[in-house]
Amino acid sequence: MYRLIKKILFLIDAETTHNGTIKLLKITQHYTIIHKLLKKLFVIDSPLLENDIHGIKFKNPIGLAAGFDKSGEVAYILQSIGFGHIEIGGVTPFPQDGNQKPRLFRLKEDQAIINRMGFNNNGMEQIFLNYKKFKFQIPVGINVGVNKNTTDRIDDYVRVIDLFSDNVPYYTINISSPNTEGLQDFHNLEMLKRLINKLKELKNIKNLEVPIFIKITSDISYNSLDKILPTIDSFFDGIIVSNTTQSREGLISKYSSENGGLSGKPLYERNLEMIKYIYPKVSRNLVIIGTGGISNSDDVIKMITAGASFVQIYTSLVYSGPSIVKTINQDLIHYMQDKKYSSIRQMIGSIYNSNIDNN
Ligand SMILES: Cc1cc2nc3c(=O)[nH]c(=O)nc-3n(C[C@H](O)[C@H](O)[C@H](O)COP(=O)(O)O)c2cc1C
């Protein structure tokens, strides 16, 4: 069914399709009957898939990555297609339009997307009001970004967290979007330490215990990563591996030379490798969240057994449709039953216990 819908949707420009989808979801989310129908179609409940991480209860390990619901307008209905969690944002202190259009491109032959959206969102005040209207049944975390013209980027991160405070299950500090110039400078140790100091201050003043994750770029070298990993480990509760990449290796689609961040299939192998690199080097307090190019249960299994506690998807939702969440969760249950895993927790990093590389 989605194949047919996709054929039509892909005739229309990518951002128009996205905005149309958001509008449709916004309208339909007010109808209980639609939620019931979607849940019947898409939601898989199983105790096997549940996990509790830093006090956050996940019904399954498949989350929606940041950037789909930039302003938290449709997270409420997105719950009904079976995600274990949703990340909204990037949220910035002030509303902003983002970069000039066109800024979103489908690379069909590569099962990928290039975007240079530039943190278009309704701004924290509006998003907070919206967020508070809903009673979410799954964790809906906040991805925090910075305004393009801000004079103090650290202050932007702090302001968003200060406003949402302990009303959310977790925050992600996004230091890795390639579409805000200089943002990735926070991968530099000195800047990272300055950011952490301010976040520590805020946590102390507000007595805030909400877990904070950091989202990194896969374009970082292992040498540079080694320099910041201990510092990341000492403060953050999770590390998201990773944001979109600026690499264009191996692409064949006509849009491959567009500027921006690449997402989708081409990211997967590098990100899996990064998880394998990071997991043995960090404490078990720093959970790893795998994202980038995940398109089936095999991809998820490899990331979890390599050390990811849970995963996030975006681009494969565009290419495969909403049923991808159910398919992955169903396949995951079969795999767990087959391999006699009694929980996701048991699977995390299991390749290191058995010396069997599931890759
Ligand atoms: C159109 C678009 C917008 C995105 N916006 C954000 C964002 O605001 N903040 C963020 O941390 N990541 C953002 N991302 C990155 C995704 O959250 C994710 O890390 C990346 O797409 C890799 O996952 P995927 O291959 O499953 O799409 C965006 C991705 C896309 C495609």
Side-chain angles (χ1 to χ4, degrees):
M1 166 91 159
Y2 185 71
R3 262 194 208 169
L4 184 71
I5 296 173
K6 191 170 86 175
K7 266 204 174 131
I8 299 164
L9 291 181
F10 274 29
L11 293 173
I12 308 163
D13 143 82
E15 189 164 352
T16 310
T17 309
H18 181 77
N19 293 342
T21 308
I22 297 284
K23 268 193 192 135
L24 185 70
L25 292 173
K26 246 173 112 170
I27 295 166
T28 50
Q29 74 182 348
H30 298 294
Y31 299 97
T32 316
I33 179 105
I34 306 269
H35 285 265
K36 279 192 179 156
L37 187 70
L38 289 175
K39 278 186 180 159
K40 228 183 160 103
L41 279 173
F42 295 123
V43 173
I44 294 289
D45 277 324
S46 162
L48 267 187
L49 299 175
E50 292 170 8
N51 205 354
D52 187 323
I53 298 159
H54 290 311
I56 312 167
K57 294 196 174 3
F58 293 89
K59 287 185 181 168
N60 68 66
I62 319 299
L64 177 63
F68 183 89
D69 188 8
K70 293 243 181 210
S71 295
E73 297 169 294
V74 293
Y76 191 63
I77 192 160
L78 288 171
Q79 299 179 108
S80 300
I81 64 169
F83 287 110
H85 78 284
I86 290 168
E87 190 164 310
I88 65 172
V91 179
T92 60
F94 297 103
Q96 65 180 23
D97 293 334
N99 294 325
Q100 249 187 1
K101 295 176 186 173
R103 53 190 183 178
L104 188 62
F105 306 89
R106 299 185 194 99
L107 283 70
K108 288 182 225 165
E109 295 79 2
D110 300 300
Q111 300 269 298
I113 289 175
I114 289 179
N115 91 82
R116 47 172 182 268
M117 306 299 286
F119 286 145
N120 53 313
N121 76 106
N122 293 344
M124 64 177 186
E125 305 275 356
Q126 182 60 48
I127 298 173
F128 184 52
L129 282 180
N130 211 27
Y131 189 97
K132 281 203 304 184
K133 273 199 290 201
F134 298 111
K135 201 163 164 36
F136 296 111
Q137 281 138 24
I138 62 169
V140 177
I142 303 289
N143 181 286
V144 191
V146 304
N147 279 116
K148 186 178 177 184
N149 297 323
T150 184
T151 49
D152 186 343
R153 287 185 164 163
I154 294 181
D155 191 51
D156 276 22
Y157 290 124
V158 169
R159 288 170 75 156
V160 175
I161 298 182
D162 192 16
L163 179 70
F164 281 80
S165 193
D166 57 5
N167 291 289
V168 301
Y170 76 86
Y171 292 100
T172 296
I173 300 287
N174 173 11
I175 60 164
S176 45
S177 169
N179 301 317
T180 297
E181 217 186 308
L183 191 71
Q184 295 186 353
D185 292 350
F186 283 108
H187 290 71
N188 165 288
L189 186 60
E190 283 318 304
M191 282 193 61
L192 183 67
K193 279 184 177 166
R194 256 184 269 157
L195 167 64
I196 289 176
N197 284 341
K198 289 288 178 189
L199 293 174
K200 265 186 192 158
E201 245 174 56
L202 178 75
K203 278 183 87 168
N204 283 339
I205 295 168
K206 299 206 78 163
N207 226 341
L208 203 62
E209 293 193 356
V210 179
I212 305 183
F213 306 154
I214 189 162
K215 186 165 179 179
I216 62 164
T217 174
S218 57
D219 295 334
I220 190 170
S221 68
Y222 284 140
N223 199 7
S224 303
L225 188 57
D226 282 344
K227 289 189 187 138
I228 58 171
L229 261 188
T231 306
I232 286 180
D233 198 4
S234 70
F235 176 75
F236 289 101
D237 303 287
I239 180 168
I240 304 188
V241 184
S242 71
N243 214 313
T244 54
T245 179
Q246 280 173 293
S247 160
R248 296 291 185 265
E249 217 182 295
L251 299 181
I252 52 171
S253 307
K254 64 174 173 179
Y255 291 120
S256 57
S257 54
E258 288 293 341
N259 284 331
L262 175 77
S263 60
K265 269 221 156 141
L267 272 67
Y268 183 76
E269 288 305 325
R270 162 75 178 154
N271 288 18
L272 175 63
E273 185 194 289
M274 280 185 85
I275 292 170
K276 287 182 181 168
Y277 185 81
I278 293 172
Y279 185 79
K281 295 192 170 213
V282 295
S283 72
R284 292 294 74 89
N285 179 66
L286 186 77
V287 299
I288 299 174
I289 298 107
T291 184
I294 294 168
S295 60
N296 55 46
S297 62
D298 201 38
D299 294 342
V300 175
I301 290 161
K302 282 185 196 158
M303 279 198 175
I304 293 181
T305 54
S309 289
F310 56 98
V311 302
Q312 299 182 328
I313 62 171
Y314 183 161
T315 304
S316 58
L317 187 67
V318 173
Y319 283 97
S320 305
S323 64
I324 187 173
V325 190
K326 180 181 181 177
T327 308
I328 293 179
N329 277 324
Q330 271 175 332
D331 291 351
L332 207 51
I333 293 173
H334 292 146
Y335 172 85
M336 291 174 77
Q337 286 168 337
D338 190 42
K339 299 281 179 192
K340 311 241 176 315
Y341 282 114
S342 55
S343 68
I344 291 285
R345 189 165 287 274
Q346 262 187 358
M347 273 176 72
I348 300 169
S350 58
I351 58 170
Y352 310 97
N353 308 334
S354 54
N355 284 329
I356 299 166
D357 192 331
N358 290 27
N359 193 22

